[in-house]
């Protein structure tokens, strides 16, 4: 088997054998790289502090930055193709829904008008009007006194009139 097969099947490969001199050079290089990383971290921290000072002097607060980011993002969203297509689709749907509700309202209004013009409703309306006319006092402002506490004759006749069989002009729909 080849060397690749042994390393892929077995554990971690053994480090190559290096001389003491090579080891010393690698240790020095490791220290240099670690020092560079630490120096770069310190430079980055100083730059970030300088940036914060400049923003403070300019009056740029985190809230202002957030507002600018939101505004920029919203502008990017509203100019996107997907947003425009969705907006157009919703606008068309809104127009169709408005037309449908308008048609439905017209149909309901027509149906109510048909019911109101039906002979059965007219008959009921006339009976209510008759009842209203007979119950409403004419001439005097006080109700007539009924000495024997019985129901007045006009009320009894109206009740029997309303309880009578309905007219057969047209059924209510």
């Amino acid at each position: 088997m080849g060397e690749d097969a042994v390393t892929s099947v077995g554990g971690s490969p053994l480090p190559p054998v290096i001389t003491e001199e090579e080891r010393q050079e690698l240790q020095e290089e490791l220290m240099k790289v670690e020092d560079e990383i630490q120096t770069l971290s310190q430079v980055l921290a100083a730059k970030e502090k300088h940036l914060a000072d400049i923003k403070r002097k300019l009056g740029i607060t985190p809230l202002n930055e957030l507002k600018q980011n939101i505004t920029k993002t919203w502008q990017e969203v509203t100019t996107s193709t997907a947003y425009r297509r969705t907006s157009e689709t919703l606008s068309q749907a809104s127009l169709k829904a408005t037309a449908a509700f308008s048609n439905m309202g017209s149909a309901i209004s027509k149906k109510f008008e048909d019911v109101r013009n039906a002979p059965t409703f007219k008959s009921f309306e006339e009976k209510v009007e008759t009842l209203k006319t007979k119950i409403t006092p004419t001439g005097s402002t006080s109700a007539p006194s009924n000495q024997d506490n019985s129901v007045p004759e006009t009320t009894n006749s109206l009740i029997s009139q309303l309880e009578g069989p309905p007219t057969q002009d047209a059924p209510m729909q």
Side-chain angles (χ1 to χ4, degrees):
M1 282 194 204
E3 186 177 314
D4 292 337
V6 172
T7 56
S8 66
V9 172
S12 61
L14 297 174
V17 179
I18 56 173
T19 65
E20 188 61 36
E21 186 178 311
E22 290 175 331
R23 190 175 195 294
Q24 190 67 28
E25 286 177 20
L26 288 174
Q27 286 287 356
E28 288 174 15
E29 188 178 347
L30 177 65
M31 288 178 26
K32 282 181 186 177
V33 171
E34 286 177 344
D35 286 343
E36 287 176 3
I37 290 173
Q38 187 175 9
T39 303
L40 289 173
S41 294
Q42 291 170 351
V43 169
L44 180 61
K47 294 280 185 184
E48 287 176 340
K49 184 176 186 276
H50 184 63
L51 174 70
D53 289 341
I54 292 172
K55 285 183 176 180
R56 184 182 44 78
K57 288 177 183 175
L58 290 174
I60 300 172
T61 64
L63 182 60
N64 290 343
E65 285 184 282
L66 179 63
K67 287 178 184 177
Q68 288 174 350
N69 288 341
I70 290 173
T71 301
K72 181 181 175 188
T73 302
W74 180 248
Q75 186 176 18
E76 290 172 356
V77 166
T78 56
T79 57
S80 72
T81 305
Y83 178 85
R84 285 194 311 257
R85 286 181 185 164
T86 303
S87 178
E88 290 169 4
T89 302
L90 290 176
S91 178
Q92 291 172 359
S94 172
L95 291 173
K96 289 179 181 180
T98 301
F101 283 127
S102 176
N103 289 342
M104 187 174 67
S106 297
I108 290 172
S109 295
K110 184 179 180 333
K111 195 64 172 175
F112 278 141
E113 189 63 31
D114 291 348
V115 167
R116 190 162 194 271
N117 291 331
T120 303
F121 185 81
K122 293 271 188 204
S123 173
F124 176 74
E125 191 175 36
E126 289 171 5
K127 287 182 180 181
V128 169
E129 188 62 36
T130 303
L131 177 63
K132 178 181 162 193
T133 304
K134 289 184 178 181
I135 290 179
T136 305
T138 54
S140 69
T141 56
S142 63
S145 62
N146 194 352
Q147 297 296 333
D148 59 356
N149 291 334
S150 64
V151 178
E153 184 59 35
T154 56
T155 305
N156 282 336
S157 65
L158 287 174
I159 291 172
S160 65
Q161 190 179 22
L162 285 176
E163 288 178 348
T167 60
Q168 297 296 323
D169 298 338
M172 284 190 65
Q173 298 177 356

